[in-house]
Amino acid sequence: MGLEMEAVAAAAPAAAREQGVEIYPLSRYYFGAKDAAAAPRGLETAADRALRLKANFAANGLRTSVHGVLLVELFDHPHVLLLQVRNSSFVLPGGRLRPGEEDVQGLKRKLSSKLSVLDDGEADAEEEEDDWQVGECIGMWWRSEFEAIPFPYMPPSFRAPKECIKLFLIRLPVSRQFVVPRNMKLLAVPLSQIHNNAQVYGPVISGIPNLLSKFSLNVISD
């Protein structure tokens, strides 16, 4: 028993180190802008959107969305990078997978289209996709209907969920460039501000601090 306990105790620090996340200063990253992608559905009504989502569900089944959690340091505190759309709603970088597309492949494509010089079509280039270090999936949410509030688990009443939302931890390098469409803003928001603040950021984003609690955040300041 004593040897077993010693082995467990020795393994614990190693496991903790494996869960460590390096967070680098915001000042080490460079930010630019690019033309906003064309929005063919910009004038889409709520009714039209509902019909489109129902048609997509009938054709392809469950809708899967993947998003990245990118962390930076500012004022000795971890911040998460969020996209602000039209100076109102906040979203994580990412988006919907194509039919048959793998999670990591689709997330790299979406990160490149939202945060690099490439557009969505050009982001299929493997050289650019491989530039993103996609870590583990840290959380999943489910929607019972297309516009319903997502749940962080699958309730028994969900007979045919319409959407699965997955969050992946993105391990950023020491420095890189972010290029964002002009109709969006990339903001660094402190974890303390989004924690339990679903009224402003929604249930998915406001739950990120809880999901990160299992990691050892190594905040590196200049």
Side-chain angles (χ1 to χ4, degrees):
M1 178 66 71
L3 293 177
E4 292 178 357
M5 292 299 294
E6 289 180 6
V8 171
R17 287 194 297 270
E18 292 175 358
Q19 293 293 314
V21 179
E22 304 287 335
I23 303 177
Y24 299 102
L26 181 66
S27 59
R28 296 188 183 181
Y29 299 97
Y30 304 91
F31 299 89
K34 63 181 179 179
D35 292 337
R41 295 192 291 264
L43 300 178
E44 184 180 49
T45 65
D48 291 339
R49 171 178 165 80
L51 290 174
R52 176 174 56 82
L53 292 176
K54 288 180 181 179
N56 287 341
F57 182 77
N60 303 310
L62 178 71
R63 172 190 177 108
T64 301
S65 299
V66 290
H67 300 273
V69 177
L70 293 74
L71 300 173
V72 297
E73 178 273 335
L74 186 63
F75 304 124
D76 294 321
H77 189 79
H79 287 55
V80 62
L81 295 181
L82 300 178
L83 288 169
Q84 188 179 29
V85 185
R86 301 185 184 91
N87 294 322
S88 56
S89 59
F90 297 90
V91 296
L92 288 164
R96 179 176 61 88
L97 293 180
R98 295 169 177 169
E101 190 173 32
E102 297 292 334
D103 292 347
V104 173
Q105 176 190 6
L107 180 54
K108 288 181 177 181
R109 174 177 60 83
K110 282 296 183 180
L111 290 175
S112 294
S113 68
K114 297 289 177 61
L115 300 178
S116 79
V117 295
L118 298 182
D119 294 325
D120 195 43
E122 300 172 316
D124 291 319
E126 292 183 3
E127 302 86 79
E128 182 67 21
E129 285 185 0
D130 289 340
D131 198 26
W132 299 101
Q133 187 176 350
V134 179
E136 52 268 65
C137 179
I138 61 174
M140 297 175 63
W141 280 261
W142 304 86
R143 292 188 196 271
S144 60
E145 298 297 335
F146 300 112
E147 303 295 343
I149 296 175
F151 281 76
Y153 59 92
M154 179 81 79
S157 60
F158 283 20
R159 296 184 179 181
K162 302 303 187 292
E163 183 178 13
C164 176
I165 304 169
K166 301 180 181 181
L167 298 193
F168 289 83
L169 182 63
I170 308 299
R171 297 177 182 269
L172 290 175
V174 175
S175 177
R176 73 163 294 136
Q177 183 182 33
F178 295 104
V179 182
V180 182
R182 297 186 191 279
N183 61 338
M184 297 182 180
K185 295 179 180 178
L186 186 61
L187 305 176
V189 183
L191 293 182
S192 58
Q193 182 172 315
I194 68 174
H195 174 61
N196 205 28
N197 193 356
Q199 183 176 0
V200 174
Y201 298 100
V204 175
I205 293 177
S206 64
I208 289 176
N210 291 332
L211 297 175
L212 294 175
S213 62
K214 70 175 183 178
F215 297 96
S216 175
L217 303 181
N218 183 18
V219 179
I220 300 175
S221 57
D222 284 331

